[in-house]
C-alpha cells in the first residue's frame, strides 16, 4: 500500500540535480537556450517565476551592452586594469543568468588584464564581444524579443 501511495506522490514531478528541486517551467522557448544555461535559468524561475527572469535579463542586457561598449574603448586605449575591472563586473551576472561562455571570456580577460598580458586581454575582449552578441540573441528571446 505504501508503494502505491509513493508512486502517486512522485508521478508527474520532474526532479533535478540542483539543491532546490523544482519542475521545469515550460513558458520560455527552450530550444533557443544553450543547454548549459538551462540549470541557472531553472533555479531563477523556481525562485521568482518567468517575469522575474525576464526583468533580470532585460536589466543585464542593458547594463552589459553599455559595459561591453566601454570595454572595447578601454582596450583600444590600452587601459588593461580597466578592462579587467569591466570584465569582472560582467562575469558573475552573466554566469548567474546562464551565459557561461560569456562569463568564461570575462574571466580570461579579467585575469590577463590584471597580469598585464596584453595579447591575452585583447583576445579576451574579442571573445567577450563575440559571446555577448550570442548571449544577447538568446536572452532577448526570453524577454519576448523586447530589446534591452
Amino acid at each position: 500500500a505504501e508503494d502505491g501511495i509513493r508512486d502517486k506522490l512522485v508521478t508527474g514531478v520532474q526532479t533535478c540535480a540542483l539543491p532546490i528541486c523544482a519542475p521545469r517551467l515550460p513558458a520560455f522557448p527552450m530550444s533557443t537556450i544553450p543547454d548549459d544555461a538551462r540549470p541557472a535559468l531553472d533555479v531563477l524561475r523556481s525562485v521568482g517565476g518567468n517575469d522575474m527572469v525576464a526583468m533580470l535579463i532585460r536589466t543585464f542586457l542593458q547594463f552589459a551592452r553599455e559595459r561591453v561598449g566601454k570595454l572595447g574603448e578601454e582596450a583600444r586605449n590600452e587601459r588593461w586594469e580597466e578592462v579587467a575591472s569591466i570584465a569582472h563586473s560582467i562575469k558573475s551576472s552573466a554566469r548567474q543568468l546562464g551565459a557561461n561562455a560569456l562569463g568564461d571570456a570575462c574571466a580570461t580577460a579579467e585575469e590577463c588584464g590584471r597580469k598585464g598580458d596584453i595579447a591575452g586581454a585583447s583576445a579576451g575582449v574579442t571573445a567577450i564581444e563575440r559571446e555577448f552578441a550570442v548571449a544577447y540573441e538568446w536572452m532577448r528571446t526570453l524577454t519576448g524579443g523586447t530589446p534591452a
Side-chain angles (χ1 to χ4, degrees), residues 2 4 6 25 36 44 48 51 56 60 98 106 137 145 148:
E2 283 186 31
R6 186 175 59 231
L25 305 172
D36 66 341
L44 291 172
D51 289 341
L56 289 172
F60 171 76
C106 289
E137 289 306 314

Side-chain angles (χ1 to χ4, degrees), residues 69-127:
K70 182 71 171 166
L71 183 77
E73 178 185 324
E74 296 298 350
R76 285 187 296 280
N77 291 323
E78 299 182 2
R79 296 182 53 181
W80 304 112
E81 274 296 320
E82 207 45 44
V83 165
S85 177
I86 293 169
H88 176 80
S89 73
I90 299 169
K91 178 179 64 180
S92 296
S93 296
R95 287 179 171 163
Q96 288 175 340
L97 291 170
N100 296 313
L102 176 57
D104 293 347
C106 289
T108 298
E110 178 185 7
E111 181 179 340
C112 291
R114 296 222 189 281
K115 289 181 179 177
D117 175 355
I118 296 168
S122 183
V125 169
T126 300

